[in-house]
Amino acid sequence: MPQLQSALLGRADVPTRAQLQEALREFKFKLDVDAAYAPFQSVDYLPCTLNGEDGGVKLRFDAVEPYLAQFPELDDPPGQRDTLVTLRSGGDPREDVCVLMLAAVLAAKFGALVHDPKKNATIPADKLLGLARSRFAELD
């Protein structure tokens, strides 16, 4: 099933590619983000390598206000998180894992509030880390 995760974080907390790769390694995720990743410039499909195989995510950077208009309960404390990073897969299991790993790292390392808009539920970092690891294990 395609993954869709919305990560809300402060603009200053959006990681560079080097910071993102370092965090992925820290959590022992076998995910390499393509050099095309550029915060606030990357849009659409971002290639990734997951355990030596092709993967990737659809990635967007947007202002958070339109999203908060749909889900105002997420603005707590108000104004702290001003950037929306949308991570979406096309339904391929490797892409699903890429979305989960990136969302988990954004939450655990960079303070993102990760929200599943389909369920209108926030997902804690520890749960995202567990989901990413279990879905990765299922790929074998």
Side-chain angles (χ1 to χ4, degrees):
M1 175 164 47
Q3 285 288 317
L4 172 61
Q5 302 295 333
S6 300
L8 291 75
L9 65 166
R11 185 176 183 87
D13 298 321
V14 174
T16 64
R17 181 178 179 271
Q19 292 169 322
L20 190 57
Q21 281 302 144
E22 182 180 322
L24 288 163
R25 296 291 169 256
E26 180 181 324
F27 290 102
K28 299 185 181 354
F29 287 148
K30 296 179 181 184
L31 180 65
D32 292 308
V33 176
D34 192 82
Y37 172 83
F40 307 102
Q41 297 172 16
S42 296
V43 289
D44 206 26
Y45 191 76
L46 175 68
C48 297
T49 304
L50 179 65
N51 199 26
E53 295 185 19
D54 289 341
V57 299
K58 290 182 181 178
L59 174 75
R60 286 191 56 91
F61 293 90
D62 293 299
V64 77
E65 290 81 10
Y67 193 79
L68 290 177
Q70 293 178 306
F71 305 102
E73 68 278 5
L74 297 177
D75 199 12
D76 182 28
Q80 180 181 355
R81 295 179 175 100
D82 59 359
T83 300
L84 175 68
V85 180
T86 305
L87 302 161
R88 182 186 312 245
S89 73
D92 179 287
R94 289 181 309 270
E95 291 181 358
D96 295 347
V97 171
C98 292
V99 167
L100 289 169
M101 287 181 173
L102 290 170
V105 165
L106 289 173
K109 192 71 177 176
F110 301 100
L113 174 69
V114 176
H115 181 252
D116 180 338
K118 293 178 187 174
K119 297 178 182 174
N120 191 16
T122 57
I123 307 169
D126 59 341
K127 183 172 182 180
L128 284 164
L129 289 165
L131 279 170
R133 288 185 176 113
S134 67
R135 294 274 175 87
F136 178 74
E138 291 172 5
L139 290 177
D140 292 336

